[in-house]
Amino acid sequence: MSEGAAIVESDDVLARLESAVDEVIGLSLTSSSDDDVVALWQRLEAVSRRLAVADHVVISEVSTRRLDFSHGCTGIAAFARQALRIGIREAHARVRAADAAGPRRAMTGQALGPIYPRVAAAQAAGDISPAHARIIVGCVDKLPDAVQAERGHGVE
């Protein structure tokens, strides 16, 4: 796929996402049952949680391309702060989350899975939020190296 085709495809995907969000915003819920409103809210939360995974993919690509450097920034978090107009703490949290649960590449360019595959899978399913993922990764990271090596994935 050419670069131009990828841009058109991503623009089309994002336009559909924006349209879907507009439709959700425009829903009239007054005739819905209480259970229907709760179910909608739960599904909306799951979709919202999955957006963090999309963020991981983009952050990984930004990192691979070293866009922070080419835009005169000192790191990915500084670039995220500038490009997305978010606070530095939020930017650092997103970069750490992408490092833990996002796609990676070997020095040879080979695609690698996330460091925390279960966290990544749970986020992709919408089962856990970025805050949940941060707590899990933080707990596993605090374990002694020997315990992480032997039981890290089980603890995860």
Side-chain angles (χ1 to χ4, degrees):
M1 178 185 309
S2 73
E3 185 177 326
I7 291 170
V8 170
E9 182 181 345
S10 65
D11 283 348
D12 190 40
V13 168
L14 289 173
R16 290 194 314 268
L17 175 62
E18 290 165 345
S19 178
V21 169
D22 289 341
E23 286 183 50
V24 171
I25 292 169
L27 287 174
S28 175
L29 303 176
T30 54
S31 62
S32 299
S33 71
D34 293 352
D35 289 343
D36 289 342
V37 171
V38 172
L40 171 70
W41 199 12
Q42 290 170 331
R43 286 185 68 189
L44 187 59
E45 178 62 22
V47 169
S48 174
R49 291 172 176 183
R50 294 183 66 208
L51 288 175
V53 177
D55 199 43
H56 298 167
V57 171
V58 175
I59 290 170
S60 177
E61 189 65 25
V62 166
S63 178
T64 298
R65 294 179 185 211
R66 294 301 320 243
L67 294 180
D68 54 328
F69 178 75
S70 65
H71 284 82
C73 295
T74 58
I76 304 297
F79 181 54
R81 179 182 185 191
Q82 172 187 310
L84 305 177
R85 297 185 313 234
I86 58 175
I88 196 64
R89 290 181 70 159
E90 172 71 13
H92 279 292
R94 288 188 187 192
V95 171
R96 283 191 304 271
D99 288 345
R104 300 176 299 138
R105 293 221 173 264
M107 297 282 282
T108 60
Q110 176 186 7
L112 301 172
I115 294 170
Y116 293 90
R118 290 181 178 170
V119 168
Q123 280 193 290
D127 293 337
I128 65 171
S129 70
H132 293 127
R134 188 171 39 254
I135 291 167
I136 295 165
V137 168
C139 287
V140 174
D141 281 349
K142 289 178 185 173
L143 294 172
D145 291 341
V147 174
Q148 281 189 44
E150 185 178 325
R151 301 183 188 269
H153 289 293
V155 172
E156 180 189 351

